[in-house]
Amino acid sequence: MILTNYISIPELILVGAAFLFLVVQLIYILTLYRRIIVQTKKQKRGDISYTTEQPPVSVVVYACNDAENLEKFLPAILKQNYPKFEVIVVNDGSTDETKEVLAQLEPTNPHLYQTYIPEEAKNHSRRKLAMSVGIKAAKYDWILTTDANCEVAGEEWIATVARNFTEDTQVVILYTSYLFPEAIASAWRSLDNLFFNMRFLGLALGGNPFMGVRRNLAYRKELFFKNRGYSGYLNLRDGDDDLFINRVAYRENTRIEIAEEAITRADYYLFDKAWREQKLAYAITSRYLKKRGALTFGFESLTRYLFYAAIITMFVLSFCHWILAVAGGIFFLGRFIPQTIVFRKTAKIWGEQYYYLLLPVYDLWQPMVDFIYRIKGRTSKKK
């Protein structure tokens, strides 16, 4: 009642609404987005059980005109510190020197194999065809997929992933990033990739796995063919990773590995173009994913906008009552500080650059950009 002597009832309702949106946002930040930090602490304490069996692994590498990338990144995959593995490079109709590069590496790497998709092969999604051929050619049950333009974290990449290959596990979802170019725009891309991974990996750690990223993903060969591979969405150009995992992954058969040793980073010559195409590809396929993820993320974005709208309104009305500006500032810092801490710690775990001063702008930018790409995805001719 004392507060009503200073501000009107509508203004008091505005303050209450801002506080409510703040509480919702803090729940997201301290639960969903903080799960990577919690998982890392569990790993360091030894609270997570891993297998020591090290079963044989088939690494399937997708390549399309990637001769330069294969020269640059494939040797690190071939020199993994792991007892038994093979590397299968699927050459998707390359017209560059991909064949020659592989031919040079094969004599000194007997565990390197290649298979080929003719350039004239007719298929709506050549990548799905290529990956299906590569998986079929694999000798071992565990499949680990990546792209020719990906740099693995080090010699323990396979070993770190494989420690999750327990008897009950059929899918391992992993973190993947980019070799970001030195440009101001990469700051936004870095934040966007960090936020994207915190979302879907955080949801998976909460027992709701709904997608994976093809550049760093592991699953059983038996699971792939038992579920008829990519059938059901062969009409889409993409979806060889997220839609497949969306169909076969659930709490009991999926593990999440977020250690820095298990990271892959993609190198794109035309980075901005590649980033836009991947945003569009996800926008197209996301409509076919389980609705729980979309609803969870959508509600977070909605309450985030409502929070900022309430804060801005409070500052605008502060010329009438200074207490609104004080309350708005407290609410803003009450969200910004824990958000900054969580994002900074998560970025440090994955060795990513972190631009905390851009967070408030990114908060408003990200949902709008995702919405634009969602509209493009509904109308795109690239489906």
Side-chain angles (χ1 to χ4, degrees), residues 193-212:
N193 180 71
L194 179 67
F195 184 67
F196 178 75
N197 277 273
M198 288 173 67
R199 274 185 157 186
F200 86 84
L201 289 173
L203 201 61
L205 286 170
N208 294 288
F210 77 104
M211 66 165 290

Side-chain angles (χ1 to χ4, degrees), residues 229-240:
Y230 305 123
S231 63
Y233 40 90
L234 294 174
N235 59 312
L236 298 174
R237 189 186 69 173
D238 294 284
D240 51 288

